[in-house]
């Protein structure tokens, strides 16, 4: 999806605007790079005057940077190299690493194979979008892998071999270690911010996936998935019961398989809606691709390893893929460099990072009421950015064309975790970047 300085960005969600791209994975890398614009970069002194007036002086608890997206030259800096809590802007680092290392066309497979003692094994590959819900043709994403479809495939194969009774064991060994990250608060799981991270989960482990008001998650996603699968097999004419945790034998005969949407679509979704479960899955896919154990620690190290290869690891230190950990630290200039890299000419595989970032005032986590008030309304449709929110922390990192048509990357990071913060202030700053005729 090409950003254009001449007009507002389309008020469609990015996943809709790029639907023809994400449904055909091979074309994901063909999305045009963002045009750096024909205008000259803004005068740093003039830009600083506009932003400083909004920030309120050096004592304000805001770290900030604006860079020219093409050259990555800083145009405004306020503690720009000082690492701060990134919250969900961590997802930018995760997404870039996943697209660069695993690739936009990669799909995550969930399988069923023959087990021992008359059992079968449901084998998770780490797809958190695996669903037991009916398909929704109106959904703004490619079809998710269907547990019901997998049950039909499996039932057909079992009946063909003469089996009518089966035990469903389950294998979630693709991931290792703790299901929660260092620093995660105890309320994250009961409040439904994220499910226990597992290689086998259905509908992100939601207890009531058809009711968006109920966010609670199951305590053991793999066991719950096996139970759901057994019930679906029963609907397909088998006598099925949930079994035990196991590890599938290498070379076991496959009875069925379903695949996630391409990674390009998963990245767009996780950025637009700030989906913590999908973000953690993307970090682990990087670890798996690099031959590391799929733990929180190894996934974080794998992400940084890929960022280092891309030349944007300086100033990045993370403990998870989603940004829920308050122990994460990323500097504003690191975020701006990551965004600039994704927008540039050299890495077309990273373009879903740009198409996935919410559009100010229109989509995802930047939907109204953000960018609907007078102080930031000028940025509506002109800013594309990833949000981040934790207790006492608010962040915003993304792209905007200024009034002279130059593409700029920015990162604004507010708060120290100890007091209230106003995300509206960051919207004002981004709007000021977008409306700056500061050449």
């Amino acid at each position: 999806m090409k950003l254009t300085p001449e007009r507002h960005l389309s008020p469609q969600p990015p996943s809709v605007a790029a639907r023809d791209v994400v449904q055909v994975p091979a074309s994901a890398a063909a999305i045009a790079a963002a045009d750096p614009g024909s205008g000259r970069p803004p005068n740093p002194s003039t830009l600083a005057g506009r932003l400083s007036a909004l920030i309120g002086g050096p004592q304000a608890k805001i770290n900030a940077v604006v860079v020219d997206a093409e050259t990555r030259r800083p145009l405004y800096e306020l503690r720009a190299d000082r690492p701060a809590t990134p919250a969900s802007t961590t997802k930018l680092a995760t997404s870039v690493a996943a697209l660069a290392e695993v690739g936009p066309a990669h799909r995550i497979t969930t399988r069923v194979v023959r087990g021992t003692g008359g059992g079968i094994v449901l084998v998770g590959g780490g797809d958190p979008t695996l669903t037991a819900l009916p398909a929704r043709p109106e959904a703004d994403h490619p079809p998710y892998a269907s547990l019901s479809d997998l049950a039909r495939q499996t039932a057909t194969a079992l009946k063909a071999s003469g089996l009518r009774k089966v035990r469903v064991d389950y294998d979630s060994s693709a991931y290792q270690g703790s299901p929660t990250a260092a620093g995660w608060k105890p309320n994250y799981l009961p409040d439904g911010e994220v499910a226990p991270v597992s290689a086998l989960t259905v509908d992100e482990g939601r207890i009531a996936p058809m009711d968006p008001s109920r966010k609670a998650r199951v305590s053991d996603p793999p066991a719950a998935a096996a139970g759901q699968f057994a019930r679906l097999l029963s609907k397909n004419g088998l006598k099925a019961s949930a079994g035990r945790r196991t590890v599938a034998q290498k070379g076991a005969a496959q009875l069925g398989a379903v695949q996630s949407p391409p990674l390009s679509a998963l990245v767009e979704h996780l950025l637009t809606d700030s989906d913590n479960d999908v973000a953690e899955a993307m970090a682990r896919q990087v670890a798996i691709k690099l031959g590391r154990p799929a733990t929180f620690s190894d996934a974080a190290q794998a992400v940084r390893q890929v960022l280092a290869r891309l030349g944007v690891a300086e100033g990045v230190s993370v403990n998870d893929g989603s940004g829920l950990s308050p122990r994460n630290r990323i500097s504003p200039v690191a975020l701006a460099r990551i965004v600039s890299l994704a927008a540039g000419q050299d890495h077309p595989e990273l373009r879903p990072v740009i198409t996935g970032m919410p559009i100010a005032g229109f989509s995802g986590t930047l939907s109204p009421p953000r960018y609907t008030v007078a102080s930031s309304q000028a940025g509506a449709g002109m800013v594309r950015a990833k949000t981040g929110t934790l207790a006492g922390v608010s962040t915003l990192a993304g792209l905007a064309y200024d009034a002279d048509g130059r593409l700029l990357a920015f990162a604004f990071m507010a708060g120290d975790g100890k007091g209230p913060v106003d995300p509206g202030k960051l919207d004002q700053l981004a709007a000021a970047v977008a409306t700056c005729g500061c050449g």
Side-chain angles (χ1 to χ4, degrees), residues 382-397:
M382 304 301 294
V383 170
R384 195 157 207 159
K386 180 71 195 78
T387 58
T389 305
L390 287 175
V393 171
S394 185
T395 59
L396 189 69

Side-chain angles (χ1 to χ4, degrees), residues 117-143:
I120 61 173
V121 185
L122 177 63
V123 184
D127 177 13
T129 64
L130 177 67
T131 183
L133 299 178
R136 293 191 301 122
E138 76 281 5
D140 62 355
H141 57 74

Side-chain angles (χ1 to χ4, degrees), residues 49-382:
R50 289 176 64 107
L51 297 180
S52 296
L54 291 171
I55 288 173
Q59 300 305 313
K61 293 180 180 179
I62 294 181
N63 298 357
V65 72
V66 180
V67 306
D68 182 86
E70 182 179 27
T71 65
R72 300 191 209 172
R73 182 172 69 89
L75 301 169
Y76 174 78
E77 298 177 279
L78 178 63
R79 297 180 286 272
D81 60 352
R82 185 175 299 177
T85 304
S88 277
T89 53
T90 300
K91 293 181 174 73
L92 292 169
T94 303
S95 297
V96 162
L99 289 165
E101 187 62 31
V102 186
H106 178 74
R107 296 174 185 263
I108 304 170
T109 301
T110 305
R111 302 180 295 130
V112 177
V113 300
R114 293 276 188 182
T116 58
I120 61 173
V121 185
L122 177 63
V123 184
D127 177 13
T129 64
L130 177 67
T131 183
L133 299 178
R136 293 191 301 122
E138 76 281 5
D140 62 355
H141 57 74
Y144 290 148
S146 168
L147 196 68
S148 297
D149 182 26
L150 186 58
R152 283 191 293 270
Q153 294 179 38
T154 304
T156 298
L158 290 173
K159 289 176 183 177
S161 66
L163 282 178
R164 290 292 187 273
K165 182 178 180 180
V166 70
R167 182 188 71 250
V168 180
D169 296 331
Y170 55 95
D171 180 352
S172 58
S173 62
Y175 290 0
Q176 297 87 45
S178 171
T180 59
W184 279 13
K185 295 184 178 179
N187 67 294
Y188 286 167
L189 298 185
D191 288 355
E193 296 293 338
V194 67
V197 177
S198 166
L200 177 60
T201 185
V202 177
D203 290 311
E204 297 188 338
R206 299 181 188 279
I207 290 175
M210 296 190 72
D211 184 354
S213 68
R214 297 179 63 188
K215 297 183 178 181
R217 313 296 183 95
V218 298
S219 59
D220 189 344
Q228 286 180 284
F229 193 67
R231 289 190 289 275
L232 288 169
L233 288 177
S234 297
K235 290 182 179 180
N236 281 272
L238 297 176
K239 186 175 182 181
S241 60
R244 57 183 175 80
R245 188 183 302 269
T246 188
V247 176
Q249 293 182 333
K250 288 185 178 181
Q254 182 169 293
L255 300 169
V258 291
Q259 291 189 312
S260 73
L263 193 139
S264 57
L266 298 180
V267 164
E268 286 191 320
H269 163 70
L270 80 87
L271 290 173
T272 300
D273 295 330
S274 203
D275 191 306
N276 296 318
D277 300 271
V278 178
E280 296 302 344
M282 293 300 96
R284 276 167 169 71
Q285 292 300 312
V286 178
I288 291 170
K289 183 65 183 297
L290 290 176
R292 290 175 173 267
T295 65
F296 274 104
S297 176
D298 279 278
Q301 292 177 47
V303 165
R304 198 175 189 285
Q305 180 179 336
V306 177
L307 296 181
R309 173 168 59 79
L310 296 170
V312 291
E314 184 179 356
V316 177
S317 176
V318 296
N319 295 280
D320 65 12
S322 62
L324 284 173
S325 176
R327 300 182 186 180
N328 292 351
R329 293 292 182 271
I330 304 180
S331 66
V333 72
L335 288 172
R337 287 171 181 159
I338 288 170
V339 170
S340 297
L341 181 75
Q345 302 280 350
D346 295 336
H347 292 279
E349 73 277 9
L350 303 182
R351 214 68 70 233
V353 171
I354 305 306
T355 57
M357 286 193 294
I359 300 171
F362 289 108
S363 65
T365 55
L366 287 182
S367 294
R370 295 190 75 159
Y371 290 89
T372 59
V373 298
S375 58
S376 62
Q377 194 171 23
M382 304 301 294

